[in-house]
């Protein structure tokens, strides 16, 4: 059984100027490592923003590097046009998972707080 069982979080990170909201989820099923997921929506939270150049060249570029960077937060991740999914390391404690989530949020904040206009076409 994983050391990080019982970690369940949902976080919303809105960036009004960039007109994007990131939704992060962390969940464990007590059978293995905690799962990580991320998707983007408009500010209402009702409309998904896909990671492609037709929706946002900025998001399409960002998702590739961010997915690779997540390994520093303890997450092995992949992405498609609608989300990033992955898992935290098998031996990570709940506290380490929380630190990884903090780092994942901080990296998003460092990029998207800088925009003074919409990143969405």
């Amino acid at each position: 059984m994983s050391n990080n069982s019982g970690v369940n979080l949902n976080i919303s990170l809105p960036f009004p100027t960039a007109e994007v909201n990131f939704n992060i989820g962390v969940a464990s099923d007590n059978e293995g490592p905690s799962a990580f997921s991320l998707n983007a929506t408009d500010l209402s939270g009702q409309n998904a923003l896909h990671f492609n150049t037709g929706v946002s060249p900025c998001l399409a570029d960002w998702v590739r590097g961010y997915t690779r960077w997540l390994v520093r937060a303890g997450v092995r991740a992949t992405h498609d046009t609608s989300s990033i999914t992955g898992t935290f390391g098998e031996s990570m404690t709940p506290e380490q998972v929380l630190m990884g989530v903090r780092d994942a949020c901080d990296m998003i904040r460092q990029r998207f707080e800088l925009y003074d206009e919409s990143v969405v076409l």
Side-chain angles (χ1 to χ4, degrees):
M1 184 177 336
S2 170
N3 287 339
N4 58 21
S5 60
V7 178
N8 293 291
L9 300 168
N10 289 305
I11 299 170
S12 176
L13 295 173
F15 296 92
T17 307
E19 295 184 7
V20 63
N21 183 68
F22 293 95
N23 302 295
I24 297 174
V26 178
S28 63
D29 62 7
N30 299 326
E31 295 292 324
S34 292
F36 175 90
S37 64
L38 178 145
N39 66 48
T41 64
D42 64 7
L43 291 177
S44 74
Q46 302 298 311
N47 301 303
L49 297 177
H50 293 283
F51 300 122
N52 64 45
T53 56
V55 172
S56 172
C58 173
L59 288 175
D61 178 59
W62 170 81
V63 72
R64 293 187 306 269
Y66 183 74
T67 302
R68 287 188 307 270
W69 176 89
L70 280 170
V71 73
R72 293 183 183 186
V75 179
R76 293 183 148 247
T78 61
H79 73 278
D80 59 24
T81 59
S82 62
S83 66
I84 296 172
T85 57
T87 56
F88 284 91
E90 180 77 33
S91 64
M92 289 179 72
T93 66
E95 294 84 1
Q96 290 170 320
V97 170
L98 288 174
M99 295 289 283
V101 171
R102 182 202 64 186
D103 292 347
C105 291
D106 185 53
M107 184 55 74
I108 294 169
R109 206 171 283 292
Q110 286 180 30
R111 172 80 182 256
F112 289 92
E113 278 185 339
L114 300 176
Y115 287 98
D116 57 3
E117 62 186 27
S118 179
V119 299
V120 181
L121 297 179

